[in-house]
Amino acid sequence: MRSSQLFGKTLRQAPGDAENISHKLLTRAGFIQQIAAGIFSLQPLGNRSITKIRNIIREEMDRAGGQEINMPVIQPRDLWEESGRAETFVPPLATFEDRRERQMIIAPTHEETATAMARASVTSYRDLPFTIYQIQTKFRDETRPRGGLLRVREFEMKDAYSFDADEEGLERSFQAMVAAYKRIFKRCGLDVVMVDADSGGIGGKDSNEFVLLAESGDDTILMSDESDYAANVEKAEFIKKEFPIGNLCEVEEFATPDIKTIEALAKLEGVSRSKTAKAVFYSVDGEVVIVTIRGDYDVNETKLRNLLGGSVPRLATPEEVKAAGLVAGSASAVGLEGVKSIVDDSITMGSNYLAGANKEGFHLRNVNFPRDFKADILGDIAEAKKGYPSPDGKGKLIAKRGIELGHVFKLGNVYSSKMGARYTDEDGQQNDVLMGCYGIGIGRMLAAAVEAYHDDFGMVLPSAIAPYDIYLAGLNLEDADISGKAEMLYESLQDAGFDVLFDDRDAPPGVKFKDADLMGIPVRVVISSRSMGNGGVEVKARAEKESEIVSEPDVIEAVRKLLG
RNA sequence: CGGGGCGUGGCGCAGUCCGGUAGCGCAUUGCACUGGGGGUGCAAAGGUCACAGGUUCAAAUCCUGUCGCCCCGACCA
């Protein structure tokens, strides 16, 4: 491609509404154009990058045995009634009515459609297993799109769905996808880590995220500094500190005027927060529940939701707390009737706690579980934080920020049972098909790559996903000798199989160099009267400061070396 | 959905408080010069001041409403 004919222009200044690096650079370099909040067009350069990413994904999906399909973006709402997600999907489904007044939705994901596709042709265990995938547009009407391509409403996703007869098969299919994902990110030049994750609204049990570590990421990852344990903060576990359990003393009430917080209570008594039992109130499905956790830990609401069977908890309002008969600042589960009690297992790892007396201005000493209060549910609802011991017993947790690029889930029979995707086994029995689903955000991969790999001058794209391999800058092109050589170089580099952007414009050198840097093209080749005087052409990697002069016949080899 | 900010040539901004000729930088066009990090000069073109209504002799500016975009929070494959 010749720069003189390339559609799209680079900008010296990014539009004012672009805030983060990838949004600014992708806009300035002429990769993307914003059309509305969270909705973007791809210009030729951006489209080339995305096409490269898409092709790598497609190759690896095929290699892993996936079969490419295509499912509609527009779907009847009925299909979503079957899975039960029509009302519950977050964000709410984008809906419209067709001319026959049928309710239609714009698909935010394709589990329902994939299940429908499978159930139409699977009848026997002989039909299993298989994995289908597509690269398709989704729409999620996010409450707040942000960060350019990082969090958009309309986006392209590679989504794959596996179908198996049994758990062993699901595990095999799942691991095949995990392996494919690792290859995809590696080939794209992205340093991505796989972490344990919560499965959220998609459903199912096991799930892993693939995260690109970057300071600007919105995902918090906790990883061990000594082992390969890594998990999303929503999912992360840790070894809780255990205290020796001494004699259980008698409960005694004492006056604590103006003491409303665990911090103040611990200070008043001159003990650490771990000697207190903290009570937190949540509203779940319109009901107030009391959550008790040792004072040195905080509640992880995702873990709480999972313990509650998937209902989303939110902090109860002061009015709700009052209506439930609870005394904020002096509350505890001790002696409470008619309020559901959730207890974190950290409470069992200590004794003689300070806790609220359920009486304004009073607290209790020597509260013990389960002697003094009950739990309707006992489990792990504590939020892991940096510095805590890793759950595998090796090392401490460290915290990192990251951008989620992929997510894999073992769905099991969540969809197949509801939607009737069944097969007959060897014994003639009907069973639910077991499913897995596997997603990669394609546009987000490009944005994340820019977030992770850039400098003051622009993007520094990994060669596999850069729009072009080589930025060929011809200077002094009014000199027929130079321009003739530049044209020949343009031809021979293309013949060697490289994607070349040839800057043939009548523009000052500085302009060409700035554009080359901004676009992040991995290798820059310069031919000019000066380079010829120095014995050939100049070759420079985008990521390096220094360039080298090589003779014309050696250019291809030099470029190949730089591209790796 | 709560809080905050912003809408003025393609991009970045000033002008709005205090109503009266729409302005600056970059980009664009032409010519000349220049030629290794967004170069110089001369000349030129380009704007329903987000939209609608109102006040006024007069509105980018004041009033009312609407829309859009961004940021923080809540939420989030």
Side-chain angles (χ1 to χ4, degrees):
Chain A
M1 186 68 206
R2 291 168 187 272
S3 293
S4 59
Q5 301 181 2
L6 178 67
F7 171 73
K9 207 184 298 193
T10 56
L11 296 174
R12 194 181 290 225
Q13 276 166 309
D17 52 12
E19 190 71 16
N20 65 29
I21 296 285
S22 60
H23 190 185
K24 281 184 186 164
L25 291 179
L26 288 168
T27 305
R28 282 188 53 207
F31 280 49
I32 61 174
Q33 182 198 14
Q34 180 162 358
I35 291 300
I39 298 179
F40 289 83
S41 295
L42 292 174
Q43 293 164 308
L45 290 172
N47 194 52
R48 285 186 67 93
S49 269
I50 293 294
T51 300
K52 290 193 173 186
I53 293 169
R54 209 186 273 141
N55 287 343
I56 289 172
I57 291 174
R58 186 174 279 130
E59 283 173 25
E60 293 300 332
M61 283 292 113
D62 289 345
R63 178 191 169 110
Q67 302 178 59
E68 188 166 10
I69 56 161
N70 193 277
M71 296 183 278
V73 177
I74 303 297
Q75 309 177 357
R77 193 182 173 92
D78 305 355
L79 198 54
W80 288 67
E81 304 285 354
E82 287 189 51
S83 70
R85 292 206 294 180
E87 296 299 331
T88 60
F89 198 87
V90 180
L93 296 173
T95 306
F96 68 96
E97 237 176 39
D98 68 13
R99 66 168 68 203
R100 273 168 272 184
E101 298 182 355
R102 188 173 186 196
Q103 293 291 310
M104 307 298 282
I105 64 109
I106 309 174
T109 176
H110 284 79
E111 280 77 19
E112 281 77 0
T113 340
T115 308
M117 185 177 275
R119 78 179 166 193
S121 52
V122 173
T123 50
S124 156
Y125 71 94
R126 295 175 199 276
D127 299 325
L128 299 168
F130 62 93
T131 295
I132 51 181
Y133 76 93
Q134 66 172 350
I135 293 171
Q136 178 62 289
T137 298
K138 321 274 185 211
F139 183 81
R140 294 185 190 173
D141 198 1
E142 300 284 352
T143 47
R144 180 146 113 78
R146 68 182 85 181
L149 285 190
L150 284 176
R151 177 155 223 91
V152 292
R153 294 192 294 171
E154 184 188 297
F155 58 104
E156 192 172 87
M157 176 163 143
K158 186 287 301 175
D159 47 324
Y161 306 88
S162 67
F163 299 85
D164 279 274
D166 52 33
E167 290 289 345
E168 293 71 36
L170 172 55
E171 180 63 24
R172 270 195 301 278
S173 297
F174 186 85
Q175 291 307 333
M177 284 294 119
V178 166
Y181 273 38
K182 288 181 174 170
R183 290 181 56 91
I184 287 166
F185 294 122
K186 188 161 186 212
R187 281 185 61 188
C188 288
L190 301 176
D191 190 13
V192 166
V193 296
M194 183 170 95
V195 308
D196 294 349
D198 183 74
S199 57
I202 294 285
K205 294 180 296 188
D206 295 345
S207 124
N208 295 94
E209 276 178 13
F210 290 80
V211 176
L212 180 69
L213 299 180
E215 278 309 310
S216 56
D218 57 359
D219 221 15
T220 301
I221 303 302
L222 291 160
M223 46 210 305
S224 168
D225 59 358
E226 284 179 25
S227 74
D228 58 2
Y229 178 80
N232 187 302
V233 66
E234 294 177 350
K235 177 78 174 182
E237 297 172 2
F238 62 100
I239 297 176
K240 291 172 186 169
K241 197 166 179 187
E242 297 207 36
F243 295 92
I245 298 185
N247 293 330
L248 303 190
C249 306
E250 285 296 307
V251 173
E252 53 184 65
E253 188 177 287
F254 65 111
T256 52
D258 300 328
I259 298 294
K260 298 282 184 199
T261 65
I262 287 296
E263 188 73 56
L265 182 63
K267 202 167 172 190
L268 178 76
E269 287 286 284
V271 297
S272 98
R273 299 160 64 112
S274 60
K275 290 297 288 179
T276 66
K278 176 161 65 179
V280 191
F281 320 110
Y282 283 91
S283 171
V284 184
D285 296 336
E287 179 195 0
V288 172
V289 304
I290 183 164
V291 173
T292 308
I293 187 168
R294 211 170 64 199
D296 50 335
Y297 295 132
D298 290 320
V299 174
N300 173 329
E301 291 183 11
T302 304
K303 289 184 180 178
L304 177 61
R305 182 195 68 200
N306 290 339
L307 268 192
L308 290 168
S311 299
V312 179
R314 61 166 173 79
L315 282 174
T317 62
E319 293 75 34
E320 288 169 333
V321 170
K322 214 168 196 173
L326 297 165
V327 187
S330 291
S332 74
V334 178
L336 274 190
E337 297 287 339
V339 180
K340 196 173 197 176
S341 165
I342 317 290
V343 176
D344 183 68
D345 56 13
S346 58
I347 288 289
T348 66
M349 301 172 191
S351 56
N352 298 326
Y353 291 107
L354 296 168
N358 292 317
K359 210 159 98 182
E360 185 74 37
F362 289 90
H363 279 79
L364 303 173
R365 292 194 186 97
N366 304 323
V367 168
N368 286 287
F369 177 82
R371 185 188 71 182
D372 302 320
F373 63 102
K374 297 191 308 284
D376 292 300
I377 304 175
L378 175 68
D380 170 32
I381 50 167
E383 181 169 289
K385 293 181 182 169
K386 66 176 176 187
Y388 289 2
S390 176
D392 56 10
K394 296 174 197 159
K396 283 186 163 48
L397 296 176
I398 51 175
K400 300 260 191 191
R401 307 286 288 173
I403 301 165
E404 178 188 358
L405 297 185
H407 206 151
V408 294
F409 305 81
K410 285 185 194 166
L411 298 174
N413 69 349
V414 174
Y415 292 88
S416 54
S417 62
K418 287 182 181 143
M419 298 183 64
R422 282 183 280 275
Y423 71 96
T424 306
D425 66 18
E426 292 95 320
D427 303 324
Q429 299 299 307
Q430 290 259 302
N431 293 299
D432 292 332
V433 171
L434 297 185
M435 295 172 57
C437 78
Y438 316 90
I440 293 181
I442 294 184
R444 186 183 275 190
M445 274 178 77
L446 176 58
V450 177
E451 290 290 331
Y453 309 120
H454 65 269
D455 61 19
D456 292 346
F457 302 102
M459 307 182 224
V460 186
L461 290 174
S463 54
I465 65 174
Y468 290 94
D469 300 317
I470 299 169
Y471 194 101
L472 173 63
L475 311 183
N476 320 110
L477 290 174
E478 68 289 341
D479 179 329
D481 184 41
I482 301 291
S483 70
K485 286 195 157 74
E487 292 288 344
M488 277 169 59
L489 203 50
Y490 179 42
E491 287 302 317
S492 59
L493 286 170
Q494 289 182 99
D495 290 345
F498 298 117
D499 290 334
V500 185
L501 182 58
F502 174 30
D503 196 338
D504 59 340
R505 295 174 298 177
D506 177 23
V511 171
K512 300 189 179 192
F513 296 154
K514 291 285 185 192
D515 277 351
D517 288 349
L518 181 59
M519 292 174 189
I521 313 288
V523 173
R524 190 184 78 192
V525 174
V526 178
I527 179 161
S528 66
S529 45
R530 182 192 289 188
S531 77
M532 292 310 294
N534 287 339
V537 303
E538 178 187 304
V539 177
K540 175 184 169 300
R542 173 64 180 85
E544 303 293 330
K545 261 201 146 71
E546 300 302 319
S547 60
E548 55 173 331
I549 293 282
V550 302
S551 66
E552 283 171 85
D554 296 337
V555 172
I556 288 170
E557 201 40 50
V559 168
R560 196 162 275 148
K561 223 166 75 192
L562 289 181
L563 285 172

